[in-house]
Amino acid sequence: MTRNRRRQLEAALGFVSLLAMVGTAYAQDTAGAEANGLEEIIVTAQKRKESLQSVPFSIQALGEEKLERLNAKDFVDVARQLPSVSFRHVAPGVGNIFMRGISSGPDGGASGSLPSVGVYLDEQPVTTIQGTLDIHMYDIARVEALAGPQGTLYGASSQSGTLRIITNKPEPGVFSGRIDVNGNAISHGGLGYSFGAMLNVPLADNITLRTVAWRRHDAGYIDNVPASRFYPTSGVTRTNATVAGDDFNDVDVTGARAALRIDLDEDWTVTTSLMGQQTNSHGVPYQVAADGDLNVSRFFDDRRKDRYWQAALTIEGKIADFDITYAGAYLDRKLESHFDYSDYSYYYDQLYGLGSTWVDDGGVPIDPSQYTHARTGFKKTSHELRVSSPADKPLRVTLGGFYQFQQDSLHNEYQIAGLGEAVSVRNFPGVVWLTDQRRRDRDLALFGEVTYDLLPNLSITGGGRLFKSKQSLVGWFGIRAYEALCVGPTRVGTGPCTNVDADAKNEGAIGKLNVTWKIDADRMIYATYSRGFRSGGINRDPRVEPYQPDYLDNYEFGWKTSWDGGRFRFNGALFNSNWDGFQIAVQGANGSGQIRNVGRGRVRGLEFDLGAALSGGLSISAAGSILDPKLRENYCGRIDADGDPITDCATPIAAAGTRLPFSSRYKGTLSVRYDWTMGDSDLFVEAAGAYQASMWPSLRARDRMVVGRIPGFTTVDLSAGISRGDWRASFYVRNLFDERGEMTRLTSCTPSVCSKVYEVPVQPRNFGIKLGWSF
């Protein structure tokens, strides 16, 4: 039996045993109060408040209590509990979100496709080009995962779904607060902690301030082990003695948030908020099989600083019977990273003797080890104005307008110490490759949805979105020889000249149609057609034409049901999604990447979630997805004279039927909780398990041969706690069986060259104690 299979079996047996223990405890309890039913979750997925059970599409929501019980600290923890979501986590603030298996590989690059999943913080989009925004999960009301295309209401990048993180808002007339502290220890690693505090203060009868602050230290658990490399061309041996060390991948997070609510009168409310966070991460959360469990060998200092702040304004009110909402926000994010890129130098020297091109001023080959220093500035401004008619009328309308501007300025230097001036980028000694560009994306849209009740229990909804987008890319990219591509003097940044200066415009329309039948007050079924999209854009190589928007057409049948007075819930959806002409990266001249619309994919699947509130304080919840995502035709990576994809090739990059990357066929969660009362104290025990089947980290067949398949894994978490009056305490164990699951695999450059494969493991077993006080 393999190690992974043995671990999965141990985890499964342990989880079953735990359920049996909880069930026995439940059977022996005679004082537990009978549950009245499952908690009703109110969401705003359709831009209006309503019960989750009334939303006619697939949605999963994790409320504040659930997030706290899961001990969720960031989106890595949240994604594991969302079966429709897969998350490619590379490092804090570096990752990609995918939903329902819609993925061709990592996206969100500086000059690549926009993400296929939209991310919102309250009313404002925070979808970023340079990876998912890292948001600490403290004082969060809920996380909503809206599966399937949400382009009508949420626009571009909500192609396969939308994730919404909803913060707790100021509570008028209430003085309250809380303080939470957490200490934890990681097996094979160090000690961590977190601190969080919230204060809700009425400043006047109509003005309320809510402030939140947090500080977190995540201990390291990866050892950078001693290693050396020999470069045959220069005869240099390099060691990592200066950077080797234990538990080198620790992370520090500090942040705060403040929201001010002003009730102008009974109908109008203004809420302003300001949030800021800084994440300092050291090392990398990688392991390499050849180096041993939780070991890696890195030759330069890896570190990253991610700072952002966001200011937002929301105005809500009424004109006659119509609800008016304005939401505007400004996001400013700055990232600085240092990254070991020596794999590239080592393998190209070993295979092709490329070290002979990396010489000093005397023409003598030098130590060619590369590292990168990148500085990114990202800014986003968004405005949305919408009008909604009364929700209790047979005809319900939501109309709105949206504008968004985002700018990404990237300065990335690939450095080699001692590199000669003749082979360095002009004016950048020691820099073999420089990217210094500014990307701008503008989006303008009109959208609307109209729902009409044909019968008291039968309604039809039609929706649409008209959009225009413009993207520009200006600056420099490449090696010194790329000056031959110059089109003018330097306009952006400090590069030698401007060798890319282009823009692209797109416009289009998408639609949605839904029919909902409410069988009775507790059960409904629905059928939906919906379309999602991503905007087109510019390739950084000026010799390559722009790429066009890509679209996802989704056909879905679903149900929302409650039984026995709300004590049982069973929701689900069957769907078929067609993804034609999707944007995908191919290798161009000199190995530079470019984006083309040459893919055709299809995903069929089932999603479900169920819950049960049993007598005696026992509750059970489960959710899962089954996916069949695949290519519909050969992907050859080329287009013909008419711009159509070539599908008849002797050796396709990926053959028809290939499973799309970062898509698990099966993913599921199961949690069992038991609550009881002892005197003046409320107690609980809970077990939560999550399973994710294997998936591929790349679409390309040759990459899969080198990198391999990301194996499936199961994690089990335990927690127990007590609350008495204003005090609470809990103990938890995460990843009880110390499962070495993997969140992704990657290489530093093209896998056919850089054959060193890095695995990003799930955090090892983690023990923690939490104490809290509310007032």
Side-chain angles (χ1 to χ4, degrees), residues 643-670:
D644 297 322
I646 295 174
T647 59
D648 184 11
C649 53
T651 308
I653 295 173
T658 297
R659 194 203 309 179
L660 299 179
F662 298 106
S663 58
S664 297
R665 288 191 182 277
Y666 311 104
K667 186 177 179 183
T669 64
L670 172 66

Side-chain angles (χ1 to χ4, degrees), residues 24 99 157 568 605 771:
T24 301
M99 295 186 74
S157 288
F568 299 92
L771 300 174

Side-chain angles (χ1 to χ4, degrees), residues 94-335:
V94 184
N96 306 97
I97 303 172
F98 307 105
M99 295 186 74
R100 285 189 168 179
I102 298 300
S103 166
S104 60
D107 51 27
S111 55
S113 300
L114 289 167
S116 61
V117 175
V119 181
Y120 275 67
L121 178 62
D122 293 321
E123 290 282 347
Q124 294 77 26
V126 293
T127 313
T128 63
I129 298 171
Q130 288 284 355
T132 303
L133 200 66
D134 186 21
I135 298 175
H136 181 68
M137 295 291 159
Y138 184 73
D139 199 43
I140 300 297
R142 65 187 180 277
V143 176
E144 299 176 4
L146 287 56
Q150 305 295 327
T152 303
L153 293 180
Y154 293 97
S157 288
S158 287
Q159 182 182 55
S160 59
T162 301
L163 284 164
R164 306 181 70 234
I165 300 170
I166 312 298
T167 61
N168 282 317
K169 304 302 186 295
E171 298 181 71
V174 176
F175 177 83
S176 63
R178 60 181 293 181
I179 297 174
D180 296 274
V181 294
N182 178 345
N184 56 80
I186 298 179
S187 298
H188 323 287
L191 301 177
Y193 66 86
S194 68
F195 169 85
M198 179 277 294
L199 184 64
N200 191 92
V201 183
L203 302 180
D205 290 342
N206 64 330
I207 303 175
T208 310
L209 175 67
R210 189 183 189 98
T211 58
V212 187
W214 57 89
R215 166 75 179 177
R216 191 181 89 225
H217 173 73
D218 296 338
Y221 48 88
I222 300 291
D223 295 341
N224 190 14
V225 297
S228 63
R229 277 178 168 169
F230 176 73
Y231 292 95
T233 301
S234 61
V236 171
T237 297
R238 184 177 187 88
T239 72
N240 67 346
T242 59
V243 295
D246 294 343
D247 306 333
F248 84 137
N249 67 312
D250 58 305
V251 181
D252 291 294
V253 181
T254 305
R257 183 174 65 245
L260 182 70
R261 170 175 172 153
I262 305 173
D263 296 314
L264 302 177
D265 55 30
E266 293 183 355
D267 293 330
W268 288 89
T269 298
V270 176
T271 304
T272 63
S273 64
L274 181 65
M275 174 181 176
Q277 180 174 292
Q278 176 169 306
T279 301
N280 293 325
S281 56
H282 313 97
V284 289
Y286 304 167
Q287 67 177 14
V288 176
D291 292 329
D293 185 40
L294 300 177
N295 290 342
V296 71
S297 54
R298 304 285 287 179
F299 291 82
F300 288 94
D301 185 21
D302 294 295
R303 65 185 187 276
R304 178 181 174 90
K305 179 185 289 185
D306 185 351
R307 296 171 292 167
Y308 68 84
W309 63 272
Q310 185 204 47
L313 171 66
T314 303
I315 302 174
E316 300 170 288
K318 282 183 174 293
I319 297 179
D321 288 336
F322 292 87
D323 294 322
I324 311 297
T325 303
Y326 164 78
Y330 176 78
L331 172 67
D332 190 310
R333 184 183 190 188
K334 291 181 172 61
L335 303 96

Side-chain angles (χ1 to χ4, degrees), residues 707-731:
V707 179
R709 187 198 301 252
I710 301 170
F713 64 93
T714 302
T715 58
V716 176
D717 301 339
L718 300 181
S719 60
I722 182 172
S723 60
R724 183 170 184 174
D726 297 331
W727 293 90
R728 57 192 173 277
S730 63
F731 170 78

Side-chain angles (χ1 to χ4, degrees), residues 381-458:
T381 301
S382 64
H383 303 275
E384 180 173 301
L385 178 65
R386 64 178 184 270
V387 181
S388 300
S389 65
D392 58 352
K393 303 297 183 181
L395 179 65
R396 300 176 293 281
V397 179
T398 297
L399 299 174
F402 176 80
Y403 171 77
Q404 175 179 271
F405 170 77
Q406 51 186 335
Q407 175 176 294
D408 186 68
S409 300
L410 173 65
H411 182 99
N412 194 356
E413 300 178 3
Y414 291 73
Q415 303 178 0
I416 300 177
L419 187 68
E421 181 180 355
V423 287
S424 298
V425 176
R426 183 160 54 89
N427 301 326
F428 287 86
V431 175
V432 65
W433 178 287
L434 172 69
T435 301
D436 199 346
Q437 298 177 335
R438 183 188 66 200
R439 169 176 174 169
R440 288 177 169 174
D441 293 76
R442 293 178 175 86
D443 298 274
L444 181 66
L446 296 174
F447 63 89
E449 287 193 355
V450 180
T451 300
Y452 180 66
D453 296 332
L454 301 173
L455 298 171
N457 63 342
L458 180 66

